[in-house]
Amino acid sequence: VFLGLQLSAGLAVLLSLNMYSIALGAASMGLVVIYPLMKRVTYWPQLVLGFTFNWGALLGASSVLGACPWHICLPMYGGCVAWTLMYDTIYAHQDKADDVKVGVKSTALLLQNQTKPALLAFSTCFLGGLLSAGSAAGMGAVYYGAVTAAGGHLGLQS
């Protein structure tokens, strides 16, 4: 019942959007369906989560603008996928023992003691995506200041 209500609410929101956004939203359904299975198939379920979860970056732009400005949205989407890889890899380290017991995979199990360099790479890709999207969108000093602050915060955590 709860799942049915959530799916109905999501469909109602989707159908309130323009046709371009409806098609773009429907295109995400393959990712939504396969994501729960990915821990059994690949050591990169966090990547599939990133593709799935951050589809909203594409859908949000298209719902407001009537189309997706790909030169802006793809770098932002890619950066946000990298952000998801970063935070969910950290989170996956908490589940490593249980994941091994039940036979599922994760980036934490794959990366092991190479996690810190990978997190730095994911963070760099995140910031690069935001900077590229900001440049394509003609963003100003406030935007770049915020990205710089986010980069500084990420740097303090490494």
Side-chain angles (χ1 to χ4, degrees):
V1 172
F2 180 69
L3 178 60
L5 289 173
Q6 284 194 318
L7 291 172
S8 297
L11 181 61
V13 170
L14 183 62
L15 293 177
S16 73
L17 303 177
N18 59 61
M19 287 306 295
Y20 184 94
S21 298
I22 291 170
L24 187 61
S28 73
M29 290 313 298
L31 290 169
V32 171
V33 169
I34 67 167
Y35 167 68
L37 308 171
M38 288 297 102
K39 286 190 106 175
R40 302 195 185 296
V41 176
T42 180
Y43 282 99
W44 292 94
Q46 287 75 16
L47 181 61
V48 179
L49 174 65
F51 290 146
T52 307
F53 189 70
N54 293 293
W55 200 266
L58 307 176
L59 192 55
S62 72
S63 68
V64 171
L65 301 173
C68 196
W70 296 106
H71 67 290
I72 298 169
C73 290
L74 285 180
M76 181 174 56
Y77 178 67
C80 291
V81 169
W83 169 254
T84 302
L85 270 169
M86 188 191 76
Y87 76 72
D88 208 49
T89 296
I90 294 169
Y91 179 73
H93 273 277
Q94 298 173 25
D95 297 331
K96 284 191 304 188
D98 292 332
D99 287 351
V100 169
K101 284 180 191 175
V102 298
V104 296
K105 302 169 182 164
S106 72
T107 51
L109 293 175
L110 174 70
L111 297 170
Q112 294 292 327
N113 62 353
Q114 294 301 310
T115 296
K116 279 195 174 192
L119 294 178
L120 177 61
F122 300 154
S123 297
T124 301
C125 289
F126 166 63
L127 294 169
L130 292 184
L131 291 172
S132 179
S135 175
M139 299 303 288
V142 173
Y143 177 83
Y144 292 108
V147 173
T148 300
H153 180 68
L154 289 172
L156 290 173
Q157 293 180 1
S158 56

